[in-house]
Amino acid sequence: MSNVRLRFAPSPTGFLHIGGARTAIFNYLLARKTGGSFLLRIEDTDKQRSKQEYEDDILDAIRWLGLEWDEEPLRQSKRKTFHQEMVDELIERRKAFRCFLTPEETQKLKQEREAMGIHTAFRSPYRDIDPEESEEKMIAGKPFAVRFYVPDEPVVYIDGVHGKVEIPADSIEDFVLLRTDGTPTYQVAVVGDDYEMGITHVVRGDDHISNTPKQILIYKALGWTAPEFAHVPLILGPDKKRLSKRHGAAAVTEYREKGYLPEAILSFMAMLGWSPGDDRELMTHDELVEVFTTEGINKRSAVFDERKLEWVNGQFLSMREDDDILEMLKQPFADRVADGRLPAGAAKMLPIAIHLLKSRSHFPADILDRGDYFFKEPETVDAKAAKKRLKDPETPAWLDELASRYNAIDEFTVETTEQVIRVYSEELEVGAGNLIHPIRLAVSGQPSGPGLFELLEGLGKETVVRRLKWLAEFLREKGTPPDLEE
Ligand code: GLU
């Protein structure tokens, strides 16, 4: 094990969003790649907004994605005393000071500066207060916040994504470390906990980039070594605005419910804003662990394209074992039987439908919805295809003849079903397509689907014969082509 230690530090104030999942994935992959540790921290200091339900959801989603973490997650709210001690130490070291301005006074000062055209960051008039005077005021019960004494020199660090970053001192205000009510701020808590956890690399969203110089200042002031930082560009929706619920982007657990596979989300999210440097579009967990580096992270924001994610899901679905998919479809199948959409007896067709449709579906449930002809008789045929493919007046007669030839076959297989069509189309002196398209429409009602002969074998002789006769009858009734509403 290396001493590289990364963490994912969610605030349980909402479900794990797809963007948060990507941060978790990046941290996890770097930890596994370097042989280091991947840790979790629950940042639950906002008591109003933090909920157990959200925390459970976040941990569930991380587990589901296969991001196994090391060690017990750290709970930030339990560490308040340590955070307060940090602030005391900073005051002691004269790196922080008590600021006795009331919120109104602070507000007023800031407004005055603005009116005077001063655009540098706020400096509190108490930054140079005499320590004794400060003690006295505190003892006298005057309320105060503790602010950091921002030194007059730029903060410079090397960001793993953005390279050298230099922040001028006058753009960082004397930020608050301890609120008037005695609670430590986020900046203190994060530094204290990252230090305690021995974090060596902080990889997080660009939305935290303005916090980093403040946190680096705290590390320095306490004589601690700061971790390395890498800020990952945000994810945008198709309209190039920051990805949000408005774009239909949802919680990871919602994606799970929609039928997304964890390996698809892992692959897609890892490659959203990161690239292995070649044109791969799908990567397994092990492949990602092998090649992931922060250097491959894009400086520009990535656009989230749900259509692409659907495609990726389909690719991973087709790689799953049939039995896995059978397991996934048990409940959705039972639901469809319960509400009358599918007949109970059709369960025996499920393995066949899975085998033939898994490579043509985006989601497991597509196999039930688009492949419903595996489970019940088609009631009509695709109108557009019918107009094009069922216009020869001979079609009903051909279908009847095919039905009787198929009925006569002993072994109903891919080879024999094809052979019958070849022979018959030669006899008729028509192209095989004149038979193939009507057969597909007869057995499935649809213009496309799995390979026709695999489909015929899969449905079985009895069903195929019955459906061929059914379409012949249907066409006699409705004409060639049948008059159907498109
Ligand atoms: N809890 C913070 C958040 O959810 C993350 C803090 C950090 O990564 O430093 O945005």
Side-chain angles (χ1 to χ4, degrees), residues 45-47 49 76 80 83-84 87 97-99 101 103 142-147 175-189:
T45 48
D46 184 342
K47 287 283 158 230
R49 294 170 56 223
Q76 191 157 71
K80 193 169 161 191
H83 302 145
Q84 285 164 335
V87 176
F97 59 90
R98 297 185 194 91
C99 174
L101 292 175
K142 194 158 166 55
F144 64 90
V146 177
R147 288 180 181 270
F175 53 97
V176 175
L177 300 169
L178 198 74
R179 299 183 191 89
T180 312
D181 65 4
T183 57
T185 58
Y186 161 74
Q187 312 296 359
V188 177

PDB file of all heavy atoms in Angstrom, residues 45-47 49 76 80 83-84 87 97-99 101 103 142-147 175-189:
ATOM      1  N   THR A  45     -22.138  19.023   9.060  1.00  0.00           N
ATOM      2  CA  THR A  45     -22.175  20.085  10.071  1.00  0.00           C
ATOM      3  C   THR A  45     -23.396  20.995   9.917  1.00  0.00           C
ATOM      4  O   THR A  45     -23.774  21.673  10.854  1.00  0.00           O
ATOM      5  CB  THR A  45     -20.903  20.945  10.019  1.00  0.00           C
ATOM      6  OG1 THR A  45     -20.676  21.290   8.664  1.00  0.00           O
ATOM      7  CG2 THR A  45     -19.703  20.189  10.549  1.00  0.00           C
ATOM      8  N   ASP A  46     -24.000  20.986   8.761  1.00  0.00           N
ATOM      9  CA  ASP A  46     -25.211  21.795   8.569  1.00  0.00           C
ATOM     10  C   ASP A  46     -26.412  20.978   9.067  1.00  0.00           C
ATOM     11  O   ASP A  46     -27.003  20.198   8.331  1.00  0.00           O
ATOM     12  CB  ASP A  46     -25.355  22.143   7.075  1.00  0.00           C
ATOM     13  CG  ASP A  46     -26.532  23.065   6.814  1.00  0.00           C
ATOM     14  OD1 ASP A  46     -27.422  23.152   7.684  1.00  0.00           O
ATOM     15  OD2 ASP A  46     -26.569  23.697   5.745  1.00  0.00           O
ATOM     16  N   LYS A  47     -26.720  21.147  10.347  1.00  0.00           N
ATOM     17  CA  LYS A  47     -27.746  20.317  10.989  1.00  0.00           C
ATOM     18  C   LYS A  47     -29.129  20.500  10.368  1.00  0.00           C
ATOM     19  O   LYS A  47     -29.945  19.576  10.332  1.00  0.00           O
ATOM     20  CB  LYS A  47     -27.816  20.642  12.491  1.00  0.00           C
ATOM     21  CG  LYS A  47     -26.646  20.101  13.259  1.00  0.00           C
ATOM     22  CD  LYS A  47     -26.812  18.592  13.496  1.00  0.00           C
ATOM     23  CE  LYS A  47     -25.478  17.930  13.771  1.00  0.00           C
ATOM     24  NZ  LYS A  47     -25.164  16.744  13.004  1.00  0.00           N
ATOM     25  N   ARG A  49     -29.907  21.135   7.219  1.00  0.00           N
ATOM     26  CA  ARG A  49     -30.108  20.539   5.902  1.00  0.00           C
ATOM     27  C   ARG A  49     -29.659  19.086   5.789  1.00  0.00           C
ATOM     28  O   ARG A  49     -29.986  18.406   4.839  1.00  0.00           O
ATOM     29  CB  ARG A  49     -29.427  21.406   4.841  1.00  0.00           C
ATOM     30  CG  ARG A  49     -30.097  22.779   4.709  1.00  0.00           C
ATOM     31  CD  ARG A  49     -29.293  23.717   3.837  1.00  0.00           C
ATOM     32  NE  ARG A  49     -29.058  23.153   2.515  1.00  0.00           N
ATOM     33  CZ  ARG A  49     -27.900  23.206   1.863  1.00  0.00           C
ATOM     34  NH1 ARG A  49     -26.866  23.789   2.410  1.00  0.00           N
ATOM     35  NH2 ARG A  49     -27.784  22.687   0.672  1.00  0.00           N
ATOM     36  N   GLN A  76     -17.938  14.503  10.212  1.00  0.00           N
ATOM     37  CA  GLN A  76     -17.407  15.828  10.509  1.00  0.00           C
ATOM     38  C   GLN A  76     -18.007  16.451  11.779  1.00  0.00           C
ATOM     39  O   GLN A  76     -17.303  17.096  12.545  1.00  0.00           O
ATOM     40  CB  GLN A  76     -17.659  16.757   9.312  1.00  0.00           C
ATOM     41  CG  GLN A  76     -16.937  18.067   9.398  1.00  0.00           C
ATOM     42  CD  GLN A  76     -16.742  18.675   8.026  1.00  0.00           C
ATOM     43  OE1 GLN A  76     -17.698  19.131   7.398  1.00  0.00           O
ATOM     44  NE2 GLN A  76     -15.522  18.680   7.541  1.00  0.00           N
ATOM     45  N   LYS A  80     -16.097  18.769  16.157  1.00  0.00           N
ATOM     46  CA  LYS A  80     -16.194  20.207  16.416  1.00  0.00           C
ATOM     47  C   LYS A  80     -15.129  20.707  17.388  1.00  0.00           C
ATOM     48  O   LYS A  80     -14.515  21.764  17.165  1.00  0.00           O
ATOM     49  CB  LYS A  80     -17.602  20.501  16.971  1.00  0.00           C
ATOM     50  CG  LYS A  80     -17.955  21.953  17.004  1.00  0.00           C
ATOM     51  CD  LYS A  80     -19.428  22.126  17.309  1.00  0.00           C
ATOM     52  CE  LYS A  80     -19.711  23.519  17.796  1.00  0.00           C
ATOM     53  NZ  LYS A  80     -21.064  23.651  18.353  1.00  0.00           N
ATOM     54  N   HIS A  83     -11.875  21.221  15.755  1.00  0.00           N
ATOM     55  CA  HIS A  83     -11.914  22.395  14.878  1.00  0.00           C
ATOM     56  C   HIS A  83     -11.803  23.687  15.703  1.00  0.00           C
ATOM     57  O   HIS A  83     -11.131  24.637  15.300  1.00  0.00           O
ATOM     58  CB  HIS A  83     -13.188  22.395  14.024  1.00  0.00           C
ATOM     59  CG  HIS A  83     -13.330  21.158  13.179  1.00  0.00           C
ATOM     60  ND1 HIS A  83     -14.540  20.568  12.898  1.00  0.00           N
ATOM     61  CD2 HIS A  83     -12.384  20.387  12.575  1.00  0.00           C
ATOM     62  CE1 HIS A  83     -14.334  19.499  12.154  1.00  0.00           C
ATOM     63  NE2 HIS A  83     -13.041  19.366  11.937  1.00  0.00           N
ATOM     64  N   GLN A  84     -12.457  23.685  16.868  1.00  0.00           N
ATOM     65  CA  GLN A  84     -12.371  24.878  17.727  1.00  0.00           C
ATOM     66  C   GLN A  84     -10.955  25.051  18.263  1.00  0.00           C
ATOM     67  O   GLN A  84     -10.436  26.169  18.349  1.00  0.00           O
ATOM     68  CB  GLN A  84     -13.386  24.773  18.875  1.00  0.00           C
ATOM     69  CG  GLN A  84     -14.797  25.044  18.390  1.00  0.00           C
ATOM     70  CD  GLN A  84     -15.870  24.582  19.368  1.00  0.00           C
ATOM     71  OE1 GLN A  84     -15.641  23.679  20.175  1.00  0.00           O
ATOM     72  NE2 GLN A  84     -17.046  25.181  19.278  1.00  0.00           N
ATOM     73  N   VAL A  87      -8.778  26.727  15.834  1.00  0.00           N
ATOM     74  CA  VAL A  87      -8.968  28.181  15.778  1.00  0.00           C
ATOM     75  C   VAL A  87      -8.235  28.851  16.944  1.00  0.00           C
ATOM     76  O   VAL A  87      -7.556  29.866  16.767  1.00  0.00           O
ATOM     77  CB  VAL A  87     -10.485  28.528  15.777  1.00  0.00           C
ATOM     78  CG1 VAL A  87     -10.686  30.041  15.814  1.00  0.00           C
ATOM     79  CG2 VAL A  87     -11.166  27.921  14.561  1.00  0.00           C
ATOM     80  N   PHE A  97      -7.633  36.386  14.363  1.00  0.00           N
ATOM     81  CA  PHE A  97      -7.956  37.385  15.388  1.00  0.00           C
ATOM     82  C   PHE A  97      -9.463  37.409  15.618  1.00  0.00           C
ATOM     83  O   PHE A  97     -10.243  36.992  14.756  1.00  0.00           O
ATOM     84  CB  PHE A  97      -7.465  38.767  14.941  1.00  0.00           C
ATOM     85  CG  PHE A  97      -8.075  39.207  13.623  1.00  0.00           C
ATOM     86  CD1 PHE A  97      -9.271  39.928  13.590  1.00  0.00           C
ATOM     87  CD2 PHE A  97      -7.474  38.879  12.404  1.00  0.00           C
ATOM     88  CE1 PHE A  97      -9.839  40.314  12.381  1.00  0.00           C
ATOM     89  CE2 PHE A  97      -8.050  39.263  11.200  1.00  0.00           C
ATOM     90  CZ  PHE A  97      -9.224  39.976  11.183  1.00  0.00           C
ATOM     91  N   ARG A  98      -9.826  37.903  16.800  1.00  0.00           N
ATOM     92  CA  ARG A  98     -11.255  38.056  17.088  1.00  0.00           C
ATOM     93  C   ARG A  98     -11.720  39.357  16.446  1.00  0.00           C
ATOM     94  O   ARG A  98     -11.069  40.394  16.618  1.00  0.00           O
ATOM     95  CB  ARG A  98     -11.511  38.103  18.594  1.00  0.00           C
ATOM     96  CG  ARG A  98     -11.127  36.823  19.283  1.00  0.00           C
ATOM     97  CD  ARG A  98     -11.489  36.826  20.767  1.00  0.00           C
ATOM     98  NE  ARG A  98     -10.798  35.703  21.406  1.00  0.00           N
ATOM     99  CZ  ARG A  98      -9.587  35.800  21.955  1.00  0.00           C
ATOM    100  NH1 ARG A  98      -8.963  36.964  22.035  1.00  0.00           N
ATOM    101  NH2 ARG A  98      -9.009  34.723  22.458  1.00  0.00           N
ATOM    102  N   CYS A  99     -12.795  39.274  15.736  1.00  0.00           N
ATOM    103  CA  CYS A  99     -13.329  40.452  15.060  1.00  0.00           C
ATOM    104  C   CYS A  99     -14.634  40.808  15.758  1.00  0.00           C
ATOM    105  O   CYS A  99     -15.577  40.012  15.751  1.00  0.00           O
ATOM    106  CB  CYS A  99     -13.545  40.136  13.581  1.00  0.00           C
ATOM    107  SG  CYS A  99     -14.364  41.466  12.704  1.00  0.00           S
ATOM    108  N   LEU A 101     -16.744  43.203  15.134  1.00  0.00           N
ATOM    109  CA  LEU A 101     -17.755  43.912  14.336  1.00  0.00           C
ATOM    110  C   LEU A 101     -19.071  43.132  14.405  1.00  0.00           C
ATOM    111  O   LEU A 101     -19.061  41.897  14.368  1.00  0.00           O
ATOM    112  CB  LEU A 101     -17.326  43.981  12.869  1.00  0.00           C
ATOM    113  CG  LEU A 101     -16.112  44.833  12.492  1.00  0.00           C
ATOM    114  CD1 LEU A 101     -15.803  44.652  11.011  1.00  0.00           C
ATOM    115  CD2 LEU A 101     -16.391  46.313  12.789  1.00  0.00           C
ATOM    116  N   PRO A 103     -22.575  41.999  12.549  1.00  0.00           N
ATOM    117  CA  PRO A 103     -22.838  41.761  11.124  1.00  0.00           C
ATOM    118  C   PRO A 103     -23.222  43.053  10.409  1.00  0.00           C
ATOM    119  O   PRO A 103     -22.804  43.298   9.282  1.00  0.00           O
ATOM    120  CB  PRO A 103     -24.003  40.777  11.140  1.00  0.00           C
ATOM    121  CG  PRO A 103     -23.921  40.090  12.460  1.00  0.00           C
ATOM    122  CD  PRO A 103     -23.313  41.077  13.415  1.00  0.00           C
ATOM    123  N   LYS A 142     -18.310  40.604  24.883  1.00  0.00           N
ATOM    124  CA  LYS A 142     -18.649  41.198  23.589  1.00  0.00           C
ATOM    125  C   LYS A 142     -18.597  40.114  22.506  1.00  0.00           C
ATOM    126  O   LYS A 142     -17.625  39.379  22.400  1.00  0.00           O
ATOM    127  CB  LYS A 142     -17.643  42.329  23.281  1.00  0.00           C
ATOM    128  CG  LYS A 142     -18.097  43.215  22.133  1.00  0.00           C
ATOM    129  CD  LYS A 142     -17.416  44.566  22.184  1.00  0.00           C
ATOM    130  CE  LYS A 142     -17.580  45.348  20.886  1.00  0.00           C
ATOM    131  NZ  LYS A 142     -18.927  45.557  20.399  1.00  0.00           N
ATOM    132  N   PRO A 143     -19.681  39.994  21.744  1.00  0.00           N
ATOM    133  CA  PRO A 143     -19.695  38.933  20.734  1.00  0.00           C
ATOM    134  C   PRO A 143     -18.636  39.147  19.652  1.00  0.00           C
ATOM    135  O   PRO A 143     -18.319  40.283  19.308  1.00  0.00           O
ATOM    136  CB  PRO A 143     -21.089  39.026  20.110  1.00  0.00           C
ATOM    137  CG  PRO A 143     -21.865  39.981  20.930  1.00  0.00           C
ATOM    138  CD  PRO A 143     -20.907  40.820  21.713  1.00  0.00           C
ATOM    139  N   PHE A 144     -18.107  38.064  19.153  1.00  0.00           N
ATOM    140  CA  PHE A 144     -17.079  38.175  18.112  1.00  0.00           C
ATOM    141  C   PHE A 144     -17.112  36.949  17.193  1.00  0.00           C
ATOM    142  O   PHE A 144     -17.652  35.899  17.548  1.00  0.00           O
ATOM    143  CB  PHE A 144     -15.691  38.265  18.756  1.00  0.00           C
ATOM    144  CG  PHE A 144     -15.311  37.017  19.511  1.00  0.00           C
ATOM    145  CD1 PHE A 144     -14.631  35.972  18.880  1.00  0.00           C
ATOM    146  CD2 PHE A 144     -15.657  36.875  20.863  1.00  0.00           C
ATOM    147  CE1 PHE A 144     -14.303  34.811  19.591  1.00  0.00           C
ATOM    148  CE2 PHE A 144     -15.326  35.715  21.558  1.00  0.00           C
ATOM    149  CZ  PHE A 144     -14.656  34.679  20.926  1.00  0.00           C
ATOM    150  N   ALA A 145     -16.540  37.147  16.019  1.00  0.00           N
ATOM    151  CA  ALA A 145     -16.255  36.021  15.128  1.00  0.00           C
ATOM    152  C   ALA A 145     -14.740  35.956  15.052  1.00  0.00           C
ATOM    153  O   ALA A 145     -14.066  36.941  15.352  1.00  0.00           O
ATOM    154  CB  ALA A 145     -16.838  36.285  13.753  1.00  0.00           C
ATOM    155  N   VAL A 146     -14.201  34.817  14.666  1.00  0.00           N
ATOM    156  CA  VAL A 146     -12.754  34.762  14.478  1.00  0.00           C
ATOM    157  C   VAL A 146     -12.471  34.770  12.979  1.00  0.00           C
ATOM    158  O   VAL A 146     -13.076  33.991  12.217  1.00  0.00           O
ATOM    159  CB  VAL A 146     -12.132  33.514  15.149  1.00  0.00           C
ATOM    160  CG1 VAL A 146     -10.625  33.442  14.864  1.00  0.00           C
ATOM    161  CG2 VAL A 146     -12.394  33.544  16.651  1.00  0.00           C
ATOM    162  N   ARG A 147     -11.617  35.681  12.579  1.00  0.00           N
ATOM    163  CA  ARG A 147     -11.247  35.781  11.166  1.00  0.00           C
ATOM    164  C   ARG A 147      -9.776  35.439  10.970  1.00  0.00           C
ATOM    165  O   ARG A 147      -8.959  35.619  11.876  1.00  0.00           O
ATOM    166  CB  ARG A 147     -11.494  37.196  10.640  1.00  0.00           C
ATOM    167  CG  ARG A 147     -12.969  37.538  10.481  1.00  0.00           C
ATOM    168  CD  ARG A 147     -13.148  38.952   9.945  1.00  0.00           C
ATOM    169  NE  ARG A 147     -14.541  39.299   9.814  1.00  0.00           N
ATOM    170  CZ  ARG A 147     -15.263  39.084   8.698  1.00  0.00           C
ATOM    171  NH1 ARG A 147     -14.708  38.552   7.637  1.00  0.00           N
ATOM    172  NH2 ARG A 147     -16.529  39.424   8.671  1.00  0.00           N
ATOM    173  N   PHE A 175     -11.158  35.978   6.010  1.00  0.00           N
ATOM    174  CA  PHE A 175     -12.344  35.094   6.069  1.00  0.00           C
ATOM    175  C   PHE A 175     -12.600  34.571   7.480  1.00  0.00           C
ATOM    176  O   PHE A 175     -11.692  34.474   8.315  1.00  0.00           O
ATOM    177  CB  PHE A 175     -12.210  33.937   5.070  1.00  0.00           C
ATOM    178  CG  PHE A 175     -10.936  33.145   5.200  1.00  0.00           C
ATOM    179  CD1 PHE A 175     -10.916  31.967   5.931  1.00  0.00           C
ATOM    180  CD2 PHE A 175      -9.777  33.554   4.571  1.00  0.00           C
ATOM    181  CE1 PHE A 175      -9.742  31.217   6.050  1.00  0.00           C
ATOM    182  CE2 PHE A 175      -8.590  32.815   4.692  1.00  0.00           C
ATOM    183  CZ  PHE A 175      -8.579  31.649   5.430  1.00  0.00           C
ATOM    184  N   VAL A 176     -13.841  34.207   7.693  1.00  0.00           N
ATOM    185  CA  VAL A 176     -14.284  33.771   9.022  1.00  0.00           C
ATOM    186  C   VAL A 176     -13.867  32.317   9.263  1.00  0.00           C
ATOM    187  O   VAL A 176     -14.020  31.456   8.400  1.00  0.00           O
ATOM    188  CB  VAL A 176     -15.819  33.929   9.143  1.00  0.00           C
ATOM    189  CG1 VAL A 176     -16.315  33.352  10.473  1.00  0.00           C
ATOM    190  CG2 VAL A 176     -16.227  35.394   9.014  1.00  0.00           C
ATOM    191  N   LEU A 177     -13.355  32.062  10.446  1.00  0.00           N
ATOM    192  CA  LEU A 177     -12.984  30.708  10.870  1.00  0.00           C
ATOM    193  C   LEU A 177     -13.981  30.155  11.881  1.00  0.00           C
ATOM    194  O   LEU A 177     -14.274  28.974  11.908  1.00  0.00           O
ATOM    195  CB  LEU A 177     -11.593  30.711  11.504  1.00  0.00           C
ATOM    196  CG  LEU A 177     -10.430  31.195  10.624  1.00  0.00           C
ATOM    197  CD1 LEU A 177      -9.174  31.388  11.474  1.00  0.00           C
ATOM    198  CD2 LEU A 177     -10.157  30.220   9.501  1.00  0.00           C
ATOM    199  N   LEU A 178     -14.437  31.083  12.738  1.00  0.00           N
ATOM    200  CA  LEU A 178     -15.388  30.686  13.788  1.00  0.00           C
ATOM    201  C   LEU A 178     -16.521  31.710  13.780  1.00  0.00           C
ATOM    202  O   LEU A 178     -16.262  32.909  13.897  1.00  0.00           O
ATOM    203  CB  LEU A 178     -14.661  30.706  15.145  1.00  0.00           C
ATOM    204  CG  LEU A 178     -15.305  29.945  16.288  1.00  0.00           C
ATOM    205  CD1 LEU A 178     -15.133  28.441  16.082  1.00  0.00           C
ATOM    206  CD2 LEU A 178     -14.680  30.352  17.621  1.00  0.00           C
ATOM    207  N   ARG A 179     -17.743  31.203  13.665  1.00  0.00           N
ATOM    208  CA  ARG A 179     -18.875  32.136  13.630  1.00  0.00           C
ATOM    209  C   ARG A 179     -19.149  32.668  15.030  1.00  0.00           C
ATOM    210  O   ARG A 179     -18.667  32.111  16.023  1.00  0.00           O
ATOM    211  CB  ARG A 179     -20.123  31.430  13.096  1.00  0.00           C
ATOM    212  CG  ARG A 179     -19.958  30.911  11.687  1.00  0.00           C
ATOM    213  CD  ARG A 179     -21.265  30.268  11.184  1.00  0.00           C
ATOM    214  NE  ARG A 179     -21.031  29.555   9.938  1.00  0.00           N
ATOM    215  CZ  ARG A 179     -20.655  28.273   9.856  1.00  0.00           C
ATOM    216  NH1 ARG A 179     -20.494  27.559  10.963  1.00  0.00           N
ATOM    217  NH2 ARG A 179     -20.451  27.708   8.691  1.00  0.00           N
ATOM    218  N   THR A 180     -19.961  33.711  15.091  1.00  0.00           N
ATOM    219  CA  THR A 180     -20.292  34.323  16.387  1.00  0.00           C
ATOM    220  C   THR A 180     -20.906  33.300  17.347  1.00  0.00           C
ATOM    221  O   THR A 180     -20.728  33.389  18.546  1.00  0.00           O
ATOM    222  CB  THR A 180     -21.268  35.500  16.159  1.00  0.00           C
ATOM    223  OG1 THR A 180     -20.711  36.275  15.100  1.00  0.00           O
ATOM    224  CG2 THR A 180     -21.436  36.360  17.384  1.00  0.00           C
ATOM    225  N   ASP A 181     -21.606  32.306  16.808  1.00  0.00           N
ATOM    226  CA  ASP A 181     -22.219  31.296  17.691  1.00  0.00           C
ATOM    227  C   ASP A 181     -21.212  30.209  18.103  1.00  0.00           C
ATOM    228  O   ASP A 181     -21.574  29.208  18.712  1.00  0.00           O
ATOM    229  CB  ASP A 181     -23.445  30.664  17.013  1.00  0.00           C
ATOM    230  CG  ASP A 181     -23.083  29.875  15.763  1.00  0.00           C
ATOM    231  OD1 ASP A 181     -21.875  29.754  15.448  1.00  0.00           O
ATOM    232  OD2 ASP A 181     -24.005  29.369  15.091  1.00  0.00           O
ATOM    233  N   GLY A 182     -19.965  30.382  17.713  1.00  0.00           N
ATOM    234  CA  GLY A 182     -18.930  29.432  18.152  1.00  0.00           C
ATOM    235  C   GLY A 182     -18.745  28.235  17.233  1.00  0.00           C
ATOM    236  O   GLY A 182     -17.957  27.337  17.533  1.00  0.00           O
ATOM    237  N   THR A 183     -19.469  28.193  16.121  1.00  0.00           N
ATOM    238  CA  THR A 183     -19.297  27.039  15.231  1.00  0.00           C
ATOM    239  C   THR A 183     -18.198  27.327  14.203  1.00  0.00           C
ATOM    240  O   THR A 183     -18.145  28.409  13.624  1.00  0.00           O
ATOM    241  CB  THR A 183     -20.604  26.675  14.483  1.00  0.00           C
ATOM    242  OG1 THR A 183     -21.039  27.829  13.758  1.00  0.00           O
ATOM    243  CG2 THR A 183     -21.690  26.224  15.423  1.00  0.00           C
ATOM    244  N   PRO A 184     -17.331  26.345  13.998  1.00  0.00           N
ATOM    245  CA  PRO A 184     -16.254  26.515  13.024  1.00  0.00           C
ATOM    246  C   PRO A 184     -16.837  26.516  11.606  1.00  0.00           C
ATOM    247  O   PRO A 184     -17.840  25.852  11.336  1.00  0.00           O
ATOM    248  CB  PRO A 184     -15.374  25.279  13.234  1.00  0.00           C
ATOM    249  CG  PRO A 184     -15.841  24.656  14.516  1.00  0.00           C
ATOM    250  CD  PRO A 184     -17.264  25.042  14.684  1.00  0.00           C
ATOM    251  N   THR A 185     -16.202  27.230  10.699  1.00  0.00           N
ATOM    252  CA  THR A 185     -16.703  27.265   9.324  1.00  0.00           C
ATOM    253  C   THR A 185     -16.161  26.082   8.526  1.00  0.00           C
ATOM    254  O   THR A 185     -15.256  25.364   8.964  1.00  0.00           O
ATOM    255  CB  THR A 185     -16.274  28.563   8.603  1.00  0.00           C
ATOM    256  OG1 THR A 185     -14.851  28.630   8.616  1.00  0.00           O
ATOM    257  CG2 THR A 185     -16.877  29.783   9.259  1.00  0.00           C
ATOM    258  N   TYR A 186     -16.710  25.948   7.354  1.00  0.00           N
ATOM    259  CA  TYR A 186     -16.321  24.888   6.424  1.00  0.00           C
ATOM    260  C   TYR A 186     -14.808  24.847   6.197  1.00  0.00           C
ATOM    261  O   TYR A 186     -14.190  23.773   6.194  1.00  0.00           O
ATOM    262  CB  TYR A 186     -17.080  25.138   5.109  1.00  0.00           C
ATOM    263  CG  TYR A 186     -16.501  24.440   3.921  1.00  0.00           C
ATOM    264  CD1 TYR A 186     -16.664  23.068   3.762  1.00  0.00           C
ATOM    265  CD2 TYR A 186     -15.791  25.145   2.952  1.00  0.00           C
ATOM    266  CE1 TYR A 186     -16.107  22.420   2.663  1.00  0.00           C
ATOM    267  CE2 TYR A 186     -15.241  24.513   1.872  1.00  0.00           C
ATOM    268  CZ  TYR A 186     -15.396  23.144   1.716  1.00  0.00           C
ATOM    269  OH  TYR A 186     -14.847  22.511   0.653  1.00  0.00           O
ATOM    270  N   GLN A 187     -14.189  26.016   6.033  1.00  0.00           N
ATOM    271  CA  GLN A 187     -12.742  26.058   5.741  1.00  0.00           C
ATOM    272  C   GLN A 187     -11.938  25.367   6.841  1.00  0.00           C
ATOM    273  O   GLN A 187     -11.010  24.613   6.560  1.00  0.00           O
ATOM    274  CB  GLN A 187     -12.257  27.514   5.619  1.00  0.00           C
ATOM    275  CG  GLN A 187     -13.098  28.423   4.739  1.00  0.00           C
ATOM    276  CD  GLN A 187     -13.119  28.025   3.270  1.00  0.00           C
ATOM    277  OE1 GLN A 187     -12.488  27.056   2.857  1.00  0.00           O
ATOM    278  NE2 GLN A 187     -13.879  28.746   2.467  1.00  0.00           N
ATOM    279  N   VAL A 188     -12.312  25.631   8.076  1.00  0.00           N
ATOM    280  CA  VAL A 188     -11.589  25.043   9.207  1.00  0.00           C
ATOM    281  C   VAL A 188     -11.839  23.540   9.267  1.00  0.00           C
ATOM    282  O   VAL A 188     -10.916  22.728   9.418  1.00  0.00           O
ATOM    283  CB  VAL A 188     -12.060  25.685  10.541  1.00  0.00           C
ATOM    284  CG1 VAL A 188     -11.375  25.039  11.728  1.00  0.00           C
ATOM    285  CG2 VAL A 188     -11.826  27.176  10.517  1.00  0.00           C
ATOM    286  N   ALA A 189     -13.111  23.163   9.126  1.00  0.00           N
ATOM    287  CA  ALA A 189     -13.485  21.757   9.252  1.00  0.00           C
ATOM    288  C   ALA A 189     -12.784  20.908   8.191  1.00  0.00           C
ATOM    289  O   ALA A 189     -12.252  19.836   8.479  1.00  0.00           O
ATOM    290  CB  ALA A 189     -15.004  21.622   9.134  1.00  0.00           C
TER     291      ALA A 189
END
